[in-house]
Amino acid sequence: MLTIGQLADYAGVTIKAIRHYHERALLAEPDRDSSGYRRYTAEHAIKLVKIRTLAHAGVPLARIKDLLDADPDTLAAAIAEIDHNLQDRIAQLRRTRDQLAQLRGGDRLFVSAEVADYLDDLRELGVSERQMHLERDGWILMQTASPEDACLWITEKRELMTNPEFCALYLEHDAAYVWSPSDPRLPALADRTRNWFTKHHSRSETHPVRNPTIARLATQSQPGASSPAWDRLAQLMKG
């Protein structure tokens, strides 16, 4: 006959675990002896070892009770099912780890590799963090809603980033965000921008957008997507 502590030592579990198994009706709780102690038998020890083995193998406690006295075929089928479920969980955990690894790469979790490379180019150019957020969020919207358009546009954007004149204009537009709408630099910037686009044909500008609703959403729904200076610049470019 064994005390609960002796049984725990024998089976390699904690006393708390044994009491938990009692609560879950996995292991019968023996009556107390004349001294007030519960005494466990070899049968308890055998069953406890079975419970411990199944639990360590990943069998949920809710399934263990049915498997303790199951025939070999039933046990084999149940173990195969549990193993299949574990494989699914392992696959999901691997996918989660892959996503976590991508998170370490920042933008690459949310946009295509081509767009992420373009955003890296902008950072290297010295574009403001505010503009980086606007670019990234816009690409997230467009790639989700209209991947064909996004593919066309990012190809052209990557090409434009190789043009020093375009890069200079981009940086100046970025800086102009915080200018006063009456800043005397705005008319000259509008002229240079208009002249540049006159000389350089834009494929994406003439390409019909497949999802114009999302295109409008991309330009209208982002906080900070415009400023008084940018609004003034847009008016000057139309003039």
Side-chain angles (χ1 to χ4, degrees):
M1 305 288 282
L2 302 170
T3 65
I4 190 171
Q6 291 170 329
L7 179 65
D9 288 341
Y10 171 79
V13 299
T14 64
I15 293 176
K16 183 178 179 181
I18 293 175
R19 288 175 175 156
H20 184 59
Y21 297 153
H22 288 328
E23 293 173 0
R24 298 294 297 265
L26 294 175
L27 183 68
E29 194 170 2
D31 295 329
R32 297 182 184 274
D33 61 14
S34 58
S35 301
Y37 293 101
R38 299 191 187 279
R39 299 294 180 177
Y40 293 85
T41 66
E43 182 180 354
H44 288 104
I46 293 169
K47 181 160 285 190
L48 180 57
V49 170
K50 289 181 178 180
I51 294 169
R52 181 206 65 192
T53 302
L54 290 169
H56 286 182
V59 179
L61 292 183
R63 300 288 304 275
I64 288 178
K65 185 175 182 180
D66 295 333
L67 299 181
L68 285 173
D69 300 315
D71 61 76
D73 290 341
T74 302
L75 179 61
I79 295 300
E81 178 189 350
I82 293 168
D83 181 59
H84 178 74
N85 292 337
L86 284 174
Q87 290 181 32
D88 288 343
R89 287 176 57 193
I90 290 170
Q92 178 59 50
L93 287 172
R94 284 175 176 161
R95 288 192 292 270
T96 300
R97 289 199 67 199
D98 288 343
Q99 289 181 319
L100 288 173
Q102 291 176 349
L103 274 174
R104 297 187 188 101
D107 298 325
R108 294 180 186 275
L109 179 64
F110 306 106
V111 296
S112 70
E114 292 79 10
V115 171
D117 288 341
Y118 167 67
L119 295 176
D120 286 343
D121 290 341
L122 292 180
R123 286 192 181 90
E124 187 174 346
L125 184 64
V127 172
S128 69
E129 198 59 34
R130 168 194 48 75
Q131 182 63 17
M132 293 299 306
H133 283 296
L134 289 176
E135 283 271 4
R136 182 199 60 204
D137 291 350
W139 284 108
I140 289 173
L141 283 171
M142 294 307 298
Q143 283 197 317
T144 301
S146 188
E148 299 88 352
D149 291 321
C151 183
L152 173 69
W153 294 339
I154 194 56
T155 299
E156 182 172 5
K157 288 284 190 180
R158 296 300 306 281
E159 292 174 0
L160 289 173
M161 290 300 294
T162 64
N163 186 302
E165 187 179 358
F166 174 82
C167 290
L169 280 173
Y170 192 108
L171 284 175
E172 194 166 0
H173 274 261
D174 182 22
Y177 181 89
V178 297
W179 294 355
S180 165
S182 59
D183 193 295
R185 291 171 292 182
L186 287 174
L189 177 57
D191 288 340
R192 289 198 303 276
T193 304
R194 187 168 49 246
N195 291 338
W196 193 91
F197 279 105
T198 299
K199 292 184 292 183
H200 297 82
H201 174 70
S202 171
R203 298 189 302 274
S204 60
E205 290 288 334
T206 58
H207 180 74
V209 178
R210 291 178 174 82
N211 196 327
T213 301
I214 295 299
R216 288 193 298 273
L217 179 66
T219 58
Q220 296 173 2
S221 67
Q222 301 174 65
S226 191
S227 74
W230 276 8
D231 291 341
R232 174 60 177 156
L233 186 59
Q235 292 173 359
L236 289 169
M237 289 176 62
K238 292 177 182 176

